[in-house]
Amino acid sequence: MDYFQTYKNYFWHWEDDHKVLAIPDSLTIAYRELLVEILQVISKQGAPPFGSLILAIIATNPTGREGVLAVEKILKRQPSMMCNELTTSEVIKMMNLLVALPDNYKKYEKRIQVIQVLFENCHHVLSLQNSKSLAKEAGMGSFSKKELTVSTLQKDLKPFYLLNKKFKTPEDILKKIANLPAVKEGLLLEEEVLDRAPKDAIEELIANDKTHKVGALVKTIWAGINLPFHSISSSEQPIGGVSDLTNKGNLDQLLISEFANDELVFLSRLANNEALFLSREAPPASKDKRRVLLIDVSLKNWGTPKIVAFATMLAIVKHPKSKITCEAFVLGDSYHKINFESVDDIVNGLEIVKANLDASGGLNDYFNDFPTDKDREVFVLTEKSTPQQPAMQKAISELGNRIHYFIYNDSEGAVAIYKKLKNSQKHVQHFQIPLQRLWGEKVSFTPIDKKIGSDYCPILIRGSHRKAKIKTTDNQDVFQVSNDKTLLRLHRETINSGGKGWEIIHSNVAIKNKDFEIGRLENNSLVVLTFDHQKKEITILNLTTKEEKLILFSQGKSNVEDAFLFEEGHFFYCEIQCWRIELSGEVTKVNDKAEEIRLKLESRKKENNEASIKYQGGSDVFKNIRTVSINSANNLVFNAHELSLNSRDHIRLHQEPYQQNFTNSRDSKFINEGFFQFSEGSSVAVNRVGIITLKSSNANIPTIYIPSVIGRTLGVATPAEFAGNVYYYNEPMYEITLNDAGLTPLKLISKIKEHTQFGLRYVKDIVDNSPQNLQGKWKKKKVMKIKAELELCGAKVDVVKANPTMIPLDKISTTDFFNQYIDEFINTIITDGT
């Protein structure tokens, strides 16, 4: 591409087969990897001329001062008609301004922000369309050096020449950077690219909490999977001896010497994986052999099956013995290519979800665009029940001869591999991944900045005192929607014993007249259906993925409420007629089981009414806050209610005496509804659902969360610590999975029934169909007691945290909390942040 064209007698050229940019006979400017990362970000605002970009890179290198001298020397050698002395001096002046920047602004993400600021709307900037492909083409191709022209030189130098008018001092650049959003990835300087030893890709996945579950499975799958991992050339194949032996394989590959053992020894060696097999692999027919892995991301493959599928894909493409080129795609209604070279690639892949019932559309589209190729092996990775779906059955029937391997998995970690054999599938292998053991191991995660969104609140709140519609799910969770359209979930300890508040799950739920239905998918994701009676629109929101689906539903009656039901992964609407609403958006009329749905809907209404009576009530929260100030006692005051620590060390919001002295008080400024700010920058946000949030201008003081309830003892928190009334403490809860019922099922049924609210028939069904979740949540001490009792009955059980992403808060005294956080928040305001 002409953008990367090099010229004779210029201040830069390509070296080492276009992998390195350098000043001729002088310093290295940048490695291609660094250049690609810079262009990926800068292209989003339009790329500057390449020579201008190189001048900025040279000046922000650790060897910037030497680089500026080398560039100055080369520019002064140019004829005056091409580059006069004034232009050269202005360019060098601007480069020295960049050299004078603080060192931390010449490293990592701040360096890229400097470059962004310099070339925003610069002279000769490329269009966004032309800029997009630059990162892919950087340093690619072969360039012969051309003669340098006046127009080329002026095009490269003029943007830098004009920057002198825009930035007079380094501080001018730093002020502009303060307004830029943070860059995701830190950039490496060219020296650091060489200095940093490469980390094992799988270890990086394990160390990151977003990809830990995937990475933790890969090495275990390596130990179990038995696929041919061909090398590119036959010279790389094993040449015999020990390298050809393994302890797994088909019976026809057994070492002939094994048959010399007597029958008992022979069978014992097989049973204990001690028998030896030949593992000689045939070299591929072509050195261009490649593998394509197609991962189903439709509804059935969400949750654990999806994690297992991604781990299996990585185990194949990253296997130490594999040298074959691999590609990966995700399948839904169509197909989408994904990368797998970095942690971010895997995170991005895992975030792709499709609300389709199956992946037949993506499978058909892929093979329409990529017909049969004899040098390509195709793998399909999906959940074990998907081939039973009619659309997938048809797709597999039509395309099966083009698919070489099917890899099926389930939510328990079972993996089954089938290979194409003429017009059928041959079962090759089955193995079990110990998910609980691998995911239960303690791992020190790489620290990640916690992004606190609008839904985040570390403490519980009080439920609405006004009449609110309450819904339950099949695992006994209780939900409520506040008048402010916030979805709340009752803390499970209240269901089990009593005395806890509500947890904020999602804010701004699009609920009209509180008409909604909530359900739980097989992967434990929550889905909420809301219906707008006036617009005749249904919104389906997945609370795990935050994916929304808007559906026009003209069949809904505007004067009918509580007509929706969630059952077996679908929503139903029953009034005069019955309709099924798929999560994908498809609406179909139900005839065959309409009466059954009506009966279930009536039962559902009864359950919800009982829950409403049982869990209704609470305290009216303090919403109408018009002023926030600090009084003469140095306490925060909301309207006329003071936040203080009383003589019994209780934190309360109570009404001040009328004669309270307001001398030397400080008032905040009303910014907009529910948001107030003091002059030095500290702010107070009032959430109408019942939370006051204090954010200090002092970065050392964490965000403080306070319930806005008047006249009661409060529980308060930061993102790490809690103090006060335990009603507000969001205590971690645990679930129990019954893996094996053991030999005394009757005794086990009795014990489970003792600790749950289910009837005998339901508990018997759980025991008969283990592994099953007991559909209850308990505190840690209680759950360990239940686990011990069930194990005494001969059962095998696992205990897992009900909300794996929840961070437990440390409890401290109210006096310590008030002194360390609330008083410090107030002191910062009083001293104007000094």
Side-chain angles (χ1 to χ4, degrees), residues 296-302 305 356-357 383 385-386 389 522:
D296 180 359
V297 293
S298 61
L299 282 175
K300 275 285 187 180
N301 216 45
W302 286 7
N356 306 77
L357 292 177
E383 201 269 342
S385 65
T386 53
Q389 298 167 323
E522 288 183 0

Side-chain angles (χ1 to χ4, degrees), residues 607-726:
E607 289 175 4
N608 289 332
N609 286 336
E610 290 174 354
S612 295
I613 295 170
K614 184 176 181 180
Y615 302 114
Q616 193 69 261
S619 299
D620 281 335
V621 298
F622 187 19
K623 298 177 182 178
N624 192 22
I625 296 176
R626 301 177 302 278
T627 61
V628 179
S629 59
I630 299 172
N631 63 15
S632 57
N634 287 348
N635 281 327
L636 277 168
V637 178
F638 303 89
N639 290 355
H641 295 83
E642 181 184 40
L643 178 71
S644 64
L645 189 67
N646 68 14
S647 58
R648 291 185 295 170
D649 291 336
H650 292 168
I651 298 174
R652 295 169 67 94
L653 263 174
H654 61 91
Q655 191 161 6
E656 284 191 313
Y658 182 76
Q659 66 271 21
Q660 176 71 45
N661 180 12
F662 279 89
T663 306
N664 299 325
S665 67
R666 286 178 179 259
D667 295 334
S668 65
K669 182 181 179 181
F670 174 82
I671 304 298
N672 53 45
E673 185 179 359
F675 190 79
F676 304 84
Q677 192 167 40
F678 289 91
S679 58
E680 46 69 64
S682 296
S683 65
V684 177
V686 181
N687 184 330
R688 290 178 63 83
V689 79
I691 290 292
I692 298 172
T693 306
L694 312 181
K695 288 191 177 180
S696 176
S697 61
N698 182 349
N700 294 321
I701 302 174
T703 304
I704 303 165
Y705 298 86
I706 304 167
S708 54
V709 178
I710 300 172
R712 291 176 177 265
T713 301
L714 303 179
V716 292
T718 68
E721 293 181 312
F722 176 90
N725 189 348
V726 293

